[in-house]
Amino acid sequence: MTFLSRVITEGRDRLGPVVAQRQAKRVDFPLSQFGLRERNGHVTDAHGVVLRELVDEFGSPLHVVQADALRRNAAAAMAPSLARRGADVFFSYKTNPVPAVLERLHRSGMGAEVISAYEYWLARRLGVPGHRIIYNGPAKSAESVAAAIEDEAYLINANSVGDLASITAQAAAVGKRANVGIRVALPGMWAGQFGMDSGSIDVLSMVREARLSADLNLRALHFHRGITMRRIDEVEEYLDDILRFVDYLGAETGWFPEVLDVGGSLSCPTTSGISTKEFRLNRALGTDITPPDPRDCVTVGQMAEVSQARIHAHFTARDIPVPQVVLEPGRALVADTHFLLTSVLDVKADGDITHLVADAGTNIAESVTNEFHQLFNLSNMHGPAEDAYRIAGPICTPADVTYNNWRMAKPAVGDVLAIMDTGAYCIPFSTSFSFPRPPIVLLDAGRTVIVRRGETFDDLVSRDIDLRVDEPK
Ligand SMILES: Cc1ncc(COP(=O)(O)O)c(C=O)c1O
C-alpha cells in the first residue's frame, strides 16, 4: 500500500463512521403502499394470494403484474380527458411493451406512443387504430412510416430535417398527407438525436416548408423533457418554457400548433433517482438510500389537468385557437404496477461486506441500479435490520450488483425477496445474458395468469442456423 492510499484509507476509516452517523436512516414503505398486506405470517396481495407461493408455482425469478394497480393508474390518468377537462394520454410503449399490460391500458381509452417499426406493428396488432397512435423516435423505418401514413396515424413526429424529408417522401409515395409534428428540444431537455434545437434557424424553415408541402399536414409541436418531474412547480415551469417557445415560433412564422404534445417524464411516487452523493455514501460507507415522499409526486391525471388549463388560458388570452394537449407518460403509469420476486442463492461474507447472491440482477432489473426501489425479504419481514448486504445478481460479472448496501434482517439461502416498482424499463431493458428471461404473471382478483412464459434454453438458440441438431451423448 502506498503512503497516499494508506492516508486515504485511514482517513475514510476515521471519518466514515462520523459521516455515516449523520445520514438519514431508511424508513421502509408499508406493504399497504403497494396494495399488499400480511396475513398469518405471509405477505399476500389484496385478494389473499401469497407472494412467496408464486415462486413455488412459477419458478424464480418472476415478474408479477398487479392488474388492480394497472386499472387504477389507467383510470386516474384518463379521467380528466374523458371528462373533457384534461389532456389526452398516449402510453409510451417502450416503457413496458408487454401485450397483456398494453391491452389493459388501452381498455381505458388510452392511445399508443411508439418509437420503432416493431412498436408500431405491435400497436396495430393489438387493434389500436391509426388515429390513436403517435409515432416518435429517431429511427423510423420507411415502411413503418408509410404504414403510419396509410393508417392516418394521429401524429408522426420528426426529429430532424432529414426525418421530415423522409416522411414527406413516404407521404408522396403513399399519396396521402402525413399528420406531422416537429420535436423541439428546449434547453435542459434531452437533445442530440432527439428533436430540433429550439435556437436553431432550421426549426423555422422546417415549419415554413412543412406548411407549404402538399404531402404534409403540419399539426403539432412535440416536447419530451427526459429528466423526470416530481413537483407541480417543475411541471408548471416546463409548460411555461414550452409556451414561450410557441409564442416565439408563432411570431416568427405565423403558425400555431393544433396539437401540443408535451411528452412524458413524470415520476413514479415510490421510486426516485439516486444522487451521485447518495450512491457514493451508500457504496463506500453503507449509509441508507432513503425513499422519496410519495405524496409530493404529480400524477398523470394532475399533469393532464394542469397542462390543459394552463395551455387553454395562454391561447384564449391571445385569441388563438386552443390546441389539443397530449401527454406520453411511461414510468408514471406502470412502474408501480409490477414487482420482481427473486430468491437468495448464497450468502457469503467477504471482508467487511456480506454478499447475497440472488437469481435476479441487472440482467432483468436494470433500473434498480440508479433508482430507489423498496425491497422486502418476504421470508423474514420482522427481524432486526441491523446490517447492510450487497446484493449481487447471477451474471458472472462484478457489475451485476443491484443494491450496494441494503440494510435488512439477516437473510438466508432460499429466502424470497420482492423488489418493488419494476414495471418501467426493467422488462424492455432485460437481457438473456447467461440466463433465460423469466415468465411474467398477472394477479387479477385472486387469479394468477401467466401472460408471458419464461424463455427456455431452446428459445435462446432457436434462431441459430448452425446449431448441431444431434443431442449430445
Ligand atoms: C418521446 C418519449 N415520450 C415518452 C417517454 C416516456 O417517458 P417517461 O417514462 O419518463 O414518462 C419517453 C421515454 O424516454 C420518450 O422518449
Side-chain angles (χ1 to χ4, degrees):
M1 195 184 262
T2 64
F3 174 70
L4 184 63
S5 58
R6 204 167 54 236
V7 170
I8 291 172
T9 308
E10 279 174 14
R12 196 190 56 200
D13 289 351
R14 272 200 221 146
L15 270 178
V18 180
V19 176
Q21 277 276 305
R22 294 190 174 174
Q23 302 306 309
K25 288 267 191 229
R26 186 186 79 237
V27 177
D28 284 331
F29 282 122
L31 286 168
S32 56
Q33 179 73 44
F34 306 99
L36 305 176
R37 55 177 73 145
E38 235 177 325
R39 199 173 278 167
N40 306 326
H42 296 295
V43 177
T44 76
D45 78 347
H47 305 279
V49 175
V50 177
L51 303 193
R52 203 183 185 296
E53 289 175 2
L54 293 173
V55 160
D56 301 333
E57 191 176 348
F58 300 103
S60 179
L62 185 68
H63 291 290
V64 184
V65 190
Q66 291 180 284
D68 286 349
L70 262 182
R71 274 191 288 268
R72 174 202 65 206
N73 287 1
M78 286 304 292
S81 164
L82 296 174
R84 300 194 174 279
R85 55 178 168 75
D88 198 356
V89 183
F90 291 69
F91 175 64
S92 156
Y93 265 38
K94 74 169 90 54
T95 314
N96 186 324
V98 177
V101 169
L102 299 172
E103 269 178 357
R104 279 166 177 78
L105 294 175
H106 289 313
R107 272 180 217 164
S108 69
M110 202 172 282
E113 184 266 333
V114 303
I115 58 98
S116 69
Y118 164 63
E119 289 180 5
Y120 186 81
W121 171 87
L122 181 60
R124 295 292 290 132
R125 177 82 172 63
L126 292 174
V128 182
H131 70 267
R132 296 299 295 154
I133 302 178
I134 295 178
Y135 193 1
N136 286 323
K140 310 173 190 82
S141 72
E143 296 76 17
S144 60
V145 168
I149 296 166
E150 189 62 66
D151 298 339
E152 298 175 15
Y154 184 67
L155 279 182
I156 307 174
N157 285 324
N159 278 279
S160 66
V161 174
D163 197 6
L164 191 65
S166 66
I167 298 167
T168 311
Q170 287 308 318
V174 169
K176 266 188 178 178
R177 279 189 157 206
N179 294 322
V180 292
I182 296 172
R183 178 162 172 176
V184 176
L186 296 171
M189 288 184 193
W190 280 357
Q193 70 269 47
F194 306 115
M196 299 297 298
D197 184 315
S198 58
S200 120
I201 197 90
D202 289 341
V203 185
L204 305 179
S205 45
M206 277 169 90
V207 167
R208 288 183 186 122
E209 282 166 29
R211 288 183 76 196
L212 293 175
S213 167
D215 298 309
L216 302 177
N217 173 23
L218 177 64
R219 301 186 75 190
L221 283 176
H222 174 218
F223 302 85
H224 173 68
R225 191 171 192 252
I227 299 152
T228 51
M229 297 175 279
R230 223 183 148 82
R231 297 186 324 266
I232 196 71
D233 59 302
E234 285 176 303
V235 171
E236 286 167 349
E237 217 174 285
Y238 171 68
L239 294 169
D240 288 347
D241 287 347
I242 288 174
L243 289 170
R244 255 191 300 279
F245 179 78
V246 169
D247 286 346
Y248 152 77
L249 193 64
E252 292 290 327
T253 64
W255 175 78
F256 290 91
E258 168 197 332
V259 178
L260 246 187
D261 178 350
V262 299
S265 309
L266 288 180
S267 304
C268 159
T270 39
T271 65
S272 57
I274 300 172
S275 71
T276 310
K277 181 180 162 204
E278 259 187 319
F279 180 86
R280 288 193 179 146
L281 284 172
N282 172 257
R283 184 163 170 96
L285 304 175
T287 58
D288 285 349
I289 291 179
T290 52
D293 183 346
R295 291 165 308 181
D296 71 3
C297 191
V298 178
T299 64
V300 177
Q302 281 167 332
M303 174 141 179
E305 285 186 12
V306 167
S307 46
Q308 169 92 352
R310 221 169 176 86
I311 291 166
H312 188 278
H314 188 89
F315 278 75
T316 37
R318 287 158 182 75
D319 211 14
I320 306 165
V322 179
Q324 170 66 52
V325 185
V326 162
L327 309 184
E328 304 170 345
R331 76 189 73 226
L333 278 172
V334 287
D336 63 2
T337 65
H338 290 42
F339 55 84
L340 175 64
L341 298 178
T342 173
S343 302
V344 177
L345 302 175
D346 198 5
V347 181
K348 177 190 175 218
D350 178 30
D352 293 345
I353 300 169
T354 303
H355 281 76
L356 183 161
V357 182
D359 59 12
T362 54
N363 53 335
I364 56 173
E366 206 269 341
S367 311
V368 175
T369 58
N370 51 39
E371 291 172 352
F372 173 90
H373 283 258
Q374 177 68 50
L375 178 137
F376 296 115
N377 182 350
L378 302 179
S379 310
N380 186 356
M381 290 292 291
H382 300 293
E386 276 158 10
D387 298 319
Y389 296 84
R390 179 154 300 168
I391 306 183
I395 306 181
C396 222
T397 157
D400 191 11
V401 171
T402 44
Y403 293 81
N404 277 300
N405 275 299
W406 180 265
R407 203 165 41 75
M408 64 195 288
K410 199 167 187 295
V413 171
D415 283 358
V416 176
L417 314 177
I419 301 176
M420 307 312 294
D421 301 319
T422 51
Y425 301 105
C426 287
I427 291 171
F429 264 120
S430 68
T431 72
S432 50
F433 189 152
S434 303
F435 295 84
R437 279 171 285 205
I440 305 174
V441 301
L442 177 92
L443 300 183
D444 196 355
R447 284 190 325 128
T448 312
V449 195
I450 293 201
V451 293
R452 177 176 284 176
R453 69 167 172 80
E455 276 172 343
T456 62
F457 296 160
D458 277 326
D459 285 336
L460 296 193
V461 291
S462 61
R463 285 171 293 119
D464 290 73
I465 48 179
D466 278 341
L467 184 73
R468 284 173 61 90
V469 284
D470 16 327
E471 289 288 316
K473 299 215 163 58

PDB file of all heavy atoms in Angstrom, residues 55-66:
ATOM      1  N   VAL A  55     -43.532 -18.192  -6.374  1.00  0.00           N
ATOM      2  CA  VAL A  55     -42.233 -18.708  -6.779  1.00  0.00           C
ATOM      3  C   VAL A  55     -42.254 -20.244  -6.796  1.00  0.00           C
ATOM      4  O   VAL A  55     -41.684 -20.880  -7.677  1.00  0.00           O
ATOM      5  CB  VAL A  55     -41.150 -18.150  -5.823  1.00  0.00           C
ATOM      6  CG1 VAL A  55     -39.901 -18.975  -5.849  1.00  0.00           C
ATOM      7  CG2 VAL A  55     -40.858 -16.699  -6.172  1.00  0.00           C
ATOM      8  N   ASP A  56     -42.961 -20.832  -5.814  1.00  0.00           N
ATOM      9  CA  ASP A  56     -43.073 -22.300  -5.816  1.00  0.00           C
ATOM     10  C   ASP A  56     -43.811 -22.759  -7.072  1.00  0.00           C
ATOM     11  O   ASP A  56     -43.479 -23.765  -7.675  1.00  0.00           O
ATOM     12  CB  ASP A  56     -43.847 -22.796  -4.574  1.00  0.00           C
ATOM     13  CG  ASP A  56     -43.158 -22.357  -3.285  1.00  0.00           C
ATOM     14  OD1 ASP A  56     -41.927 -22.168  -3.329  1.00  0.00           O
ATOM     15  OD2 ASP A  56     -43.842 -22.171  -2.259  1.00  0.00           O
ATOM     16  N   GLU A  57     -44.813 -21.974  -7.466  1.00  0.00           N
ATOM     17  CA  GLU A  57     -45.627 -22.407  -8.604  1.00  0.00           C
ATOM     18  C   GLU A  57     -44.992 -22.091  -9.963  1.00  0.00           C
ATOM     19  O   GLU A  57     -45.025 -22.908 -10.870  1.00  0.00           O
ATOM     20  CB  GLU A  57     -47.013 -21.734  -8.508  1.00  0.00           C
ATOM     21  CG  GLU A  57     -47.993 -22.325  -9.485  1.00  0.00           C
ATOM     22  CD  GLU A  57     -49.393 -21.721  -9.334  1.00  0.00           C
ATOM     23  OE1 GLU A  57     -49.654 -21.010  -8.333  1.00  0.00           O
ATOM     24  OE2 GLU A  57     -50.206 -21.964 -10.247  1.00  0.00           O
ATOM     25  N   PHE A  58     -44.415 -20.884 -10.075  1.00  0.00           N
ATOM     26  CA  PHE A  58     -43.959 -20.444 -11.406  1.00  0.00           C
ATOM     27  C   PHE A  58     -42.441 -20.356 -11.534  1.00  0.00           C
ATOM     28  O   PHE A  58     -41.935 -20.025 -12.582  1.00  0.00           O
ATOM     29  CB  PHE A  58     -44.566 -19.083 -11.747  1.00  0.00           C
ATOM     30  CG  PHE A  58     -46.068 -19.090 -11.770  1.00  0.00           C
ATOM     31  CD1 PHE A  58     -46.793 -18.567 -10.715  1.00  0.00           C
ATOM     32  CD2 PHE A  58     -46.748 -19.648 -12.837  1.00  0.00           C
ATOM     33  CE1 PHE A  58     -48.178 -18.584 -10.719  1.00  0.00           C
ATOM     34  CE2 PHE A  58     -48.131 -19.673 -12.870  1.00  0.00           C
ATOM     35  CZ  PHE A  58     -48.850 -19.148 -11.810  1.00  0.00           C
ATOM     36  N   GLY A  59     -41.718 -20.604 -10.458  1.00  0.00           N
ATOM     37  CA  GLY A  59     -40.258 -20.541 -10.506  1.00  0.00           C
ATOM     38  C   GLY A  59     -39.737 -19.170 -10.125  1.00  0.00           C
ATOM     39  O   GLY A  59     -40.499 -18.211  -9.939  1.00  0.00           O
ATOM     40  N   SER A  60     -38.437 -19.098 -10.002  1.00  0.00           N
ATOM     41  CA  SER A  60     -37.777 -17.858  -9.594  1.00  0.00           C
ATOM     42  C   SER A  60     -36.617 -17.623 -10.541  1.00  0.00           C
ATOM     43  O   SER A  60     -35.960 -18.591 -10.962  1.00  0.00           O
ATOM     44  CB  SER A  60     -37.248 -18.037  -8.160  1.00  0.00           C
ATOM     45  OG  SER A  60     -36.595 -16.882  -7.726  1.00  0.00           O
ATOM     46  N   PRO A  61     -36.381 -16.371 -10.923  1.00  0.00           N
ATOM     47  CA  PRO A  61     -37.119 -15.151 -10.584  1.00  0.00           C
ATOM     48  C   PRO A  61     -38.464 -15.094 -11.337  1.00  0.00           C
ATOM     49  O   PRO A  61     -38.708 -15.892 -12.236  1.00  0.00           O
ATOM     50  CB  PRO A  61     -36.185 -14.031 -11.026  1.00  0.00           C
ATOM     51  CG  PRO A  61     -35.353 -14.631 -12.109  1.00  0.00           C
ATOM     52  CD  PRO A  61     -35.221 -16.096 -11.795  1.00  0.00           C
ATOM     53  N   LEU A  62     -39.261 -14.094 -10.954  1.00  0.00           N
ATOM     54  CA  LEU A  62     -40.605 -13.992 -11.527  1.00  0.00           C
ATOM     55  C   LEU A  62     -41.063 -12.529 -11.537  1.00  0.00           C
ATOM     56  O   LEU A  62     -41.031 -11.861 -10.501  1.00  0.00           O
ATOM     57  CB  LEU A  62     -41.554 -14.819 -10.651  1.00  0.00           C
ATOM     58  CG  LEU A  62     -42.995 -14.957 -11.121  1.00  0.00           C
ATOM     59  CD1 LEU A  62     -43.082 -15.793 -12.406  1.00  0.00           C
ATOM     60  CD2 LEU A  62     -43.850 -15.629 -10.031  1.00  0.00           C
ATOM     61  N   HIS A  63     -41.483 -12.066 -12.711  1.00  0.00           N
ATOM     62  CA  HIS A  63     -42.106 -10.731 -12.787  1.00  0.00           C
ATOM     63  C   HIS A  63     -43.585 -10.881 -12.443  1.00  0.00           C
ATOM     64  O   HIS A  63     -44.253 -11.779 -12.989  1.00  0.00           O
ATOM     65  CB  HIS A  63     -42.036 -10.164 -14.203  1.00  0.00           C
ATOM     66  CG  HIS A  63     -40.654  -9.800 -14.661  1.00  0.00           C
ATOM     67  ND1 HIS A  63     -39.963  -8.739 -14.150  1.00  0.00           N
ATOM     68  CD2 HIS A  63     -39.840 -10.364 -15.596  1.00  0.00           C
ATOM     69  CE1 HIS A  63     -38.787  -8.635 -14.761  1.00  0.00           C
ATOM     70  NE2 HIS A  63     -38.684  -9.613 -15.633  1.00  0.00           N
ATOM     71  N   VAL A  64     -44.092 -10.007 -11.596  1.00  0.00           N
ATOM     72  CA  VAL A  64     -45.508 -10.079 -11.213  1.00  0.00           C
ATOM     73  C   VAL A  64     -46.174  -8.735 -11.512  1.00  0.00           C
ATOM     74  O   VAL A  64     -45.646  -7.679 -11.131  1.00  0.00           O
ATOM     75  CB  VAL A  64     -45.660 -10.411  -9.708  1.00  0.00           C
ATOM     76  CG1 VAL A  64     -47.134 -10.584  -9.354  1.00  0.00           C
ATOM     77  CG2 VAL A  64     -44.878 -11.672  -9.343  1.00  0.00           C
ATOM     78  N   VAL A  65     -47.313  -8.794 -12.196  1.00  0.00           N
ATOM     79  CA  VAL A  65     -48.076  -7.578 -12.539  1.00  0.00           C
ATOM     80  C   VAL A  65     -49.338  -7.566 -11.687  1.00  0.00           C
ATOM     81  O   VAL A  65     -50.023  -8.584 -11.595  1.00  0.00           O
ATOM     82  CB  VAL A  65     -48.536  -7.607 -14.022  1.00  0.00           C
ATOM     83  CG1 VAL A  65     -49.111  -6.254 -14.425  1.00  0.00           C
ATOM     84  CG2 VAL A  65     -47.414  -8.026 -14.942  1.00  0.00           C
ATOM     85  N   GLN A  66     -49.649  -6.441 -11.094  1.00  0.00           N
ATOM     86  CA  GLN A  66     -50.887  -6.311 -10.315  1.00  0.00           C
ATOM     87  C   GLN A  66     -51.944  -5.616 -11.185  1.00  0.00           C
ATOM     88  O   GLN A  66     -51.839  -4.406 -11.457  1.00  0.00           O
ATOM     89  CB  GLN A  66     -50.637  -5.520  -9.035  1.00  0.00           C
ATOM     90  CG  GLN A  66     -49.768  -6.286  -8.037  1.00  0.00           C
ATOM     91  CD  GLN A  66     -49.536  -5.469  -6.778  1.00  0.00           C
ATOM     92  OE1 GLN A  66     -48.736  -4.537  -6.785  1.00  0.00           O
ATOM     93  NE2 GLN A  66     -50.240  -5.792  -5.721  1.00  0.00           N
TER      94      GLN A  66
END
